Amino acid sequence: MSFHQARYPERLVKEYSSDNSSFIEYTEIPEWFPDSMRRGSLNLPQIAEYDVVRHFTRLSEMNYSVDTGVYPLGSCTMKFNPKYADRIASIQEFSEVHPLSGEDNMQGSLRIMYELQEMLKSISQMDEVSLQPPAGAQGEFTGIMIIRKFFEVNGEGSIRNEILIPDSAHGTNPASSAMGGFKTVEIPSNGDGMVDLGALESALSERTAALMITNPNTLGIFDSQISEIARMVHSAGGFLYYDGANFNAILGKTAPGKMGFDITHFNLHKTFATPHGGGGPGAGPVGVVKKLKDFLPVPIVRKNMERYFLDSSLKNTIGKVAGFYGNFGILLRAWAYIRRNGSDGLCEITERAVLNTNYLAGKLSQKYRIPYAKIKKHEVVVSSEGTGKRALDIAKYLLDQGLHPPTIYFPLIVKEALMIEMTETVSREDLDLYAESMLKALEVSESEISEMPRNTAVRRVDEVKAARDQILRW
Amino acid sequence: MHSKDVPEMLNFLSLKDIGDLFSDIPPDVRVDGINIPAGISEEKLLDEASAIASLNRLPSISFLGKGAYRRFIPSVVDHVSSIPQFQTAYTPYQAEISQGMLQALFEYQSVISDLTGMDMTNSSMYDGPTAAGEAARMAYRCSEGDTFLVPDIIDRNVLSVIQNYLHGLPVKITSYMVDRKTGKIDLADLASKVDRNVFGIFAGIPNALGILDDNVFRIQEIKGNAMLVTYYDPISLGAVKPPGEYGTDIAVAEGQQLGIHLAMGGPYLGLFSFRKEYVRKSPGRLIGKTTDSDGNPAYVMTLQTREQHIRRDRAMSNICTNQALMAISALSYLSAMGSKGLRSVSAATLKNSRKLIDALEKTGAGKYPFNAIPFSDVLFKMHLSSSDLAARLGESGISGGIPARDLITFPEEGYHFFSVTELTGDEEIEALAHALGGATR
Ligand SMILES: Cc1ncc(COP(=O)(O)O)c(C=O)c1O
């Protein structure tokens, strides 16, 4: 018995046709509508409902997902998405509220947002939270704009133009900083995979606006020097920014506020189990310390007696980073997850996630090189260097076993990197199976691996051709 | 996971206690738990959520719009967007096992390109306003100069997002005039502001006043080297000439109306299309068609060297997680509705906008002050005071009538938005007229 993914020669949606569209009454464009404005031809697909369903069902059968099986993409926290959250999000009184309905008509939604703000404050030990950023990267950009505005208001805007970022950082960190108009300065890691304090010391200056890090970092290593790092950054007059993508490693164990961070973003789609949607949507709320409260995007939800309202009166607000109040449907699911699990549940989630990853790392250490410290947090980076196999080969082998490969070739500082994040929602049996498969991959002959994958909907995809041909539409 | 697994797994790791896994966190930064309530059962949670939901009040009659609209969503759209293999997957990094999502996103890119008459479309941005912000940045990369021109009447949220997106660049935002009588661009004023320093011109159709401004068609005659960024309404394109036919370089929009629920403002969908010569300067993910090693058609994320995970601080954008599932909703909406369906939605919206004007003007409660055609958002000059208007609407259980100055950079008092869609019924328009009737001053 072996895995085999569905393989349909599925037509493009426009190759179906039907002349039936009975979803709404047919209406002619009114004759008073001027010719000069009128559209000529319109060539949308037009498909019978049964073919819409079959088309997308067949496509979906050619797509791996968390509901299909283990999906240990490092840094992405692909945990199981509990179904109660979707059920709650589909309650009409939530899903049909217009964002401009007025406070009196949206007390329920505002209460969810208020409670989520409060819960995120407790989890992060920040003093105020905005739910507006629609993803983690947008949370970063929001934080960057807050930092920028703070220094502008305080007369240091033209001087503090550098953001320091470790070489192990996720690509969005430098990209968000650059979008905010900052120069990025890369800080090397030391032999333990932590921030090189000497390099940090020499990079800090009166130009430093912030140091942006995640802890544990993308190597899954907790940087135990964090208090010292915070002291150094603060005494240089900069802020400490927490990339919260790795929150699943620290719930109830430590908190950005406790570690000395000034700004934090959350990736609700990671830590709080909202579905990743094949690439999105997510939600990336931002928390800040007291000093920066006035700079957050508006509005913030507040409570007066038992009434919830939207407050846009923040003195130094950066304004808006998205159209309305954030991805409410995602915020609601995260609220449900936190409420369901509560304090004990969340702590246990972190413990199990870390246990699973370390257990897997233990199994893999027989054959794979695992750089840096022994204890990992929520994820581990292993290297296939010296095994005769490339990370890509191992990934293709795993595909043929019906297992989603880890993130490969990231972080950039480890050669032939395979970055594995198991999360707490994987059974021990599946951990054993995954480890076994990764070890077996090393035994498979070169020629056999070059033929892989064979069991997926398509064989090895030609990326070079895609980039050359640039066929981005029919 | 079984409870007996934990001790065995710890044993395998030669650890005694699960706490040992956290011995790398120094005592001075430790916290002991989280200060939130204990967890509750699913049963209790569902009860609690329903009780909170019931604190929301859905209006029996709604004239709300301005960036989010209640439109008909075919049942099949919700079905498609909740297929688990789409809903619970992530970015298709491993193409071979993710062909379903990749093909669907390729189809989405194609459908939106056809709809807009543009060459190419990326696989989604967060929402309309952030797509506008990204477009402004892309315009800067594709042209020369330091000035971005925006209309002096513009949605406040769109303007604020654009300001944030441009803040990090050495540029300024300058406004050009919208004629107060016609509600359309003052082309002479715009022409006088276009020079070599202008890298981009932002124009809305419908514009912030809700008007289908045909002067936008003529910007191509005066734009010089500037990139034309058109902010359109995807539903209107069932009736109105698409952005690709009047020299648009980057076309962006809020895509919520394409089968996405209101959900208090999100998740929505940023539509982002552009001319093909600018593809390497464009933000966001792109799906390309290629072949596999057997020569069969296959899809894969392409031109990734523009993106943050490769290009880091030189990336075209910081976007990573996007709104892919909403793109699937939009694709299935447009596929199910088809050309006929979209034309009908567009036509019904135009007709209802006109009906609303006729009905409201008849009551004497307000006047449509522009010689123009609105689409969905109809801005009235009301003869009632704001408080009187609010009271009358409140009594009749009607939502709408938001003061213009709350939403757009138009300071005048007494202007209020009433928005329609294809779902607005004659009886709802009558109810509104009735509520405001006899209000002549
Ligand atoms: C470490 C890290 N930082 C930031 C991000 C960006 O978050 P998002 O994808 O939600 O924009 C990610 C996720 O991909 C990440 O793994």
Side-chain angles (χ1 to χ4, degrees):
Chain A
M1 270 253 293
S2 68
F3 161 78
H4 221 295
Q5 195 178 30
R7 182 180 289 184
Y8 297 103
E10 184 56 17
R11 287 177 275 174
L12 288 170
V13 73
K14 73 154 186 183
E15 287 158 20
Y16 289 85
S17 81
S18 146
D19 53 6
N20 146 43
S21 178
S22 48
F23 292 102
I24 88 160
E25 305 271 309
Y26 182 69
T27 312
E28 289 280 358
I29 310 278
E31 71 291 341
W32 49 259
F33 191 66
D35 279 349
S36 61
M37 285 199 190
R38 270 185 201 234
R39 171 166 204 140
S41 69
L42 175 62
N43 286 317
L44 296 175
Q46 184 111 47
I47 314 176
E49 182 173 356
Y50 53 82
D51 274 334
V52 175
V53 170
R54 287 177 184 147
H55 174 67
F56 287 107
T57 301
R58 285 194 289 254
L59 287 184
S60 75
E61 287 175 10
M62 296 191 282
N63 214 65
Y64 194 88
S65 69
V66 167
D67 279 6
T68 315
V70 181
Y71 207 131
L73 269 183
S75 207
C76 300
T77 316
M78 301 301 290
K79 59 170 80 176
F80 174 70
N81 313 128
K83 303 309 168 195
Y84 56 77
D86 296 331
R87 180 157 159 190
I88 290 169
S90 70
I91 298 175
Q92 273 218 351
E93 281 73 18
F94 284 131
S95 67
E96 305 309 323
V97 177
H98 191 286
L100 302 175
S101 298
E103 289 159 354
D104 287 344
N105 295 320
M106 44 198 211
Q107 285 295 301
S109 296
L110 292 176
R111 173 164 158 191
I112 294 290
M113 291 176 67
Y114 180 83
E115 290 187 6
L116 182 59
Q117 285 173 192
E118 292 300 306
M119 295 189 297
L120 294 177
K121 276 154 74 172
S122 293
I123 290 168
S124 61
Q125 300 201 358
M126 291 282 123
D127 294 317
E128 191 90 272
V129 165
S130 160
L131 303 175
Q132 197 174 119
Q138 190 72 341
E140 294 169 15
F141 180 62
T142 303
I144 291 291
M145 295 311 289
I146 289 172
I147 291 167
R148 193 174 164 121
K149 182 106 189 234
F150 177 88
F151 287 124
E152 281 170 4
V153 167
N154 288 276
E156 287 186 282
S158 54
I159 308 161
R160 293 201 180 265
N161 61 0
E162 288 179 358
I163 306 273
L164 315 186
I165 300 172
D167 56 4
S168 61
H170 193 260
T172 52
N173 293 183
S176 302
S177 305
M179 261 174 79
F182 288 97
K183 198 178 139 219
T184 60
V185 179
E186 194 170 279
I187 307 296
S189 303
N190 66 18
D192 298 327
M194 302 186 194
V195 172
D196 182 328
L197 292 188
L200 176 62
E201 184 67 61
S202 45
L204 286 166
S205 73
E206 71 288 346
R207 294 186 303 281
T208 304
L211 170 69
M212 196 172 195
I213 54 176
T214 178
N215 198 20
N217 61 20
T218 60
L219 297 161
I221 294 171
F222 190 86
D223 199 320
S224 53
Q225 323 165 100
I226 188 62
S227 299
E228 176 60 9
I229 292 171
R231 194 197 56 72
M232 288 165 67
V233 172
H234 288 149
S235 65
F239 288 108
L240 196 57
Y241 183 99
Y242 188 75
D243 173 346
N246 298 339
F247 243 111
N248 216 43
I250 61 158
L251 294 168
K253 301 293 172 191
T254 178
K258 186 82 180 176
M259 290 186 263
F261 286 89
D262 304 293
I263 309 180
T264 301
H265 82 252
F266 302 82
N267 299 63
L268 299 187
H269 44 301
K270 302 181 182 195
T271 318
F272 303 112
T274 73
H276 278 71
V286 170
V288 296
V289 293
K290 234 185 232 111
K291 195 175 174 182
L292 296 172
K293 272 166 91 162
D294 258 354
F295 292 82
L296 283 168
V298 288
I300 301 275
V301 183
R302 299 200 198 281
K303 183 177 172 184
N304 181 6
M305 313 294 279
E306 282 313 303
R307 187 174 182 278
Y308 300 89
F309 66 101
L310 293 164
D311 180 9
S312 291
S313 70
L314 310 195
K315 189 161 135 255
N316 293 308
T317 177
I318 62 163
K320 306 225 58 153
V321 294
F324 292 103
Y325 322 113
N327 282 342
F328 178 79
I330 305 302
L331 304 175
L332 175 58
R333 286 175 170 89
W335 170 89
Y337 182 82
I338 298 173
R339 195 68 194 94
R340 169 93 171 87
N341 286 289
S343 47
D344 293 355
L346 291 184
C347 297
E348 197 176 311
I349 282 165
T350 280
E351 289 174 355
R352 290 290 171 90
V354 173
L355 177 61
N356 277 356
T357 288
N358 280 282
Y359 177 79
L360 185 85
K363 298 243 152 179
L364 294 181
S365 64
Q366 303 169 27
K367 296 272 174 63
Y368 286 87
R369 187 169 70 83
I370 304 188
Y372 312 115
K374 205 157 145 254
I375 300 182
K376 306 295 176 191
K377 293 271 83 59
H378 65 305
E379 65 196 359
V380 58
V381 177
V382 308
S383 170
S384 67
E385 198 185 18
T387 66
K389 294 281 183 307
R390 294 174 306 156
L392 187 73
D393 296 332
I394 292 159
K396 300 303 173 193
Y397 174 84
L398 290 171
L399 287 175
D400 262 356
Q401 317 307 308
L403 297 171
H404 199 287
T407 299
I408 51 176
Y409 299 109
F410 182 79
L412 308 176
I413 56 173
V414 176
K415 289 208 180 106
E416 298 301 332
L418 293 131
M419 183 191 206
I420 313 167
E421 179 176 8
M422 271 299 164
T423 84
E424 67 285 3
T425 58
V426 179
S427 69
R428 184 176 168 192
E429 291 72 21
D430 278 344
L431 292 171
D432 287 337
L433 188 78
Y434 202 87
E436 218 174 280
S437 294
M438 277 192 70
L439 293 171
K440 260 201 204 138
L442 299 176
E443 312 300 328
V444 183
S445 75
E446 195 69 23
S447 62
E448 231 181 304
I449 275 204
S450 69
E451 288 294 311
M452 291 177 171
R454 285 198 211 91
N455 304 337
T456 45
V458 296
R459 305 284 304 280
R460 222 174 262 220
V461 167
D462 189 344
E463 294 188 29
V464 176
K465 179 174 156 58
R468 191 181 55 228
D469 294 353
Q470 293 185 20
I471 303 173
L472 307 182
R473 60 177 294 184
W474 53 52
Chain B
M1 174 133 356
H2 204 277
S3 54
K4 76 171 177 9
D5 289 335
V6 175
E8 286 177 17
M9 289 164 76
L10 287 170
N11 199 31
F12 170 78
L13 293 168
S14 314
L15 297 174
K16 281 209 192 64
D17 186 85
I18 206 153
D20 297 345
L21 287 166
F22 297 88
S23 57
D24 52 350
I25 303 183
D28 65 321
V29 297
R30 292 267 189 127
V31 300
D32 189 17
I34 303 168
N35 186 19
I36 58 170
I40 55 178
S41 68
E42 175 164 333
E43 185 199 0
K44 281 230 169 72
L45 173 69
L46 293 174
D47 282 348
E48 185 174 316
S50 308
I52 296 175
S54 70
L55 302 175
N56 283 340
R57 285 200 309 244
L58 297 180
S60 49
I61 300 177
S62 170
F63 290 92
L64 294 170
K66 281 308 286 173
Y69 303 83
R70 186 179 64 101
R71 293 202 175 272
F72 178 69
I73 302 178
S75 313
V76 69
V77 173
D78 285 339
H79 171 79
V80 170
S81 63
S82 51
I83 295 177
Q85 292 95 324
F86 293 143
Q87 203 189 13
T88 74
Y90 195 32
T91 308
Y93 292 113
Q94 293 291 338
E96 292 87 354
I97 208 164
S98 310
Q99 284 297 299
M101 198 67 203
L102 285 162
Q103 182 174 334
L105 291 172
F106 178 84
E107 293 176 348
Y108 162 82
Q109 292 176 180
S110 305
V111 163
I112 301 300
S113 301
D114 279 348
L115 178 68
T116 54
M118 301 294 293
D119 298 332
M120 291 174 171
T121 299
N122 74 20
S123 71
S124 73
M125 298 267 112
Y126 303 129
D127 65 3
T130 60
E134 289 277 14
R137 293 183 65 89
M138 179 173 158
Y140 177 73
R141 293 191 292 269
C142 294
S143 185
E144 277 162 22
D146 65 357
T147 306
F148 191 60
L149 292 180
V150 302
D152 63 350
I153 301 176
I154 184 171
D155 288 275
R156 291 183 188 281
N157 60 352
V158 173
L159 178 62
S160 181
V161 173
I162 290 176
Q163 283 168 337
N164 274 320
Y165 271 74
L166 289 182
H167 196 72
L169 295 172
V171 303
K172 59 179 190 289
I173 300 175
T174 304
S175 57
Y176 62 85
M177 264 164 55
V178 174
D179 186 281
R180 297 302 194 261
K181 275 219 185 67
T182 60
K184 298 181 183 181
I185 294 171
D186 180 335
L187 284 170
D189 182 69
L190 175 57
S192 77
K193 287 178 175 146
V194 175
D195 61 26
R196 283 204 342 259
N197 293 320
V198 175
F199 66 83
I201 302 170
F202 180 87
I205 176 165
N207 63 16
L209 298 165
I211 289 168
L212 290 173
D213 177 359
D214 48 356
N215 281 348
V216 173
F217 302 155
R218 298 183 52 198
I219 297 176
Q220 58 181 332
E221 298 160 22
I222 54 175
K223 76 186 181 90
N225 293 329
M227 302 276 289
L228 172 57
V229 177
T230 303
Y231 196 68
Y232 64 97
D233 172 328
I235 295 293
S236 75
L237 298 188
V240 180
K241 207 194 272 193
E245 288 181 19
Y246 46 87
T248 298
D249 297 292
I250 308 171
V252 285
E254 173 53 66
Q256 174 271 327
Q257 307 189 62
L258 305 175
I260 298 166
H261 291 269
L262 286 167
M264 244 220 1
Y268 288 174
L269 169 66
L271 307 179
F272 196 101
S273 310
F274 47 88
R275 289 154 65 110
K276 64 170 178 288
E277 54 265 44
Y278 303 123
V279 63
R280 290 191 180 276
K281 301 265 165 88
S282 70
R285 299 206 192 276
L286 294 168
I287 313 303
K289 188 173 185 188
T290 181
T291 50
D292 74 354
S293 50
D294 286 345
N296 289 318
Y299 301 89
V300 67
M301 294 201 292
T302 194
L303 300 176
Q304 294 187 59
T305 50
R306 303 166 303 111
E307 293 189 60
Q308 46 75 29
H309 57 288
I310 312 236
R311 194 75 81 79
R312 300 176 78 82
D313 60 338
R314 320 215 57 130
M316 298 303 125
S317 168
N318 65 341
I319 194 167
C320 178
T321 294
N322 55 20
Q323 306 279 125
L325 191 67
M326 304 356 262
I328 302 301
S329 291
L331 169 65
S332 55
Y333 174 85
L334 289 169
S335 308
M337 297 296 276
S339 304
K340 249 191 201 167
L342 190 71
R343 276 197 196 280
S344 295
V345 175
S346 217
T349 304
L350 282 169
K351 285 189 171 164
N352 285 337
S353 307
R354 175 61 70 93
K355 274 186 202 162
L356 180 69
I357 293 175
D358 291 346
L360 241 144
E361 289 196 334
K362 215 189 256 157
T363 67
K367 180 177 166 352
Y368 188 67
F370 308 105
N371 178 20
I373 302 172
F375 191 86
S376 289
D377 299 322
V378 190
L379 183 58
F380 287 97
K381 169 92 177 86
M382 301 303 291
H383 305 311
L384 300 166
S385 70
S386 286
S387 53
D388 192 6
L389 177 65
R392 284 165 181 258
L393 294 173
E395 272 164 32
S396 321
I398 298 174
S399 283
I402 298 182
R405 56 181 190 177
D406 290 358
L407 301 177
I408 64 177
T409 55
F410 183 65
E412 251 76 14
E413 225 172 301
Y415 287 80
H416 296 262
F417 278 110
F418 289 90
S419 305
V420 297
T421 67
E422 79 282 10
L423 293 181
T424 309
D426 290 350
E427 59 302 336
E428 291 174 300
I429 293 178
E430 272 159 35
L432 177 65
H434 184 77
L436 304 181
T440 333
R441 293 279 146 92

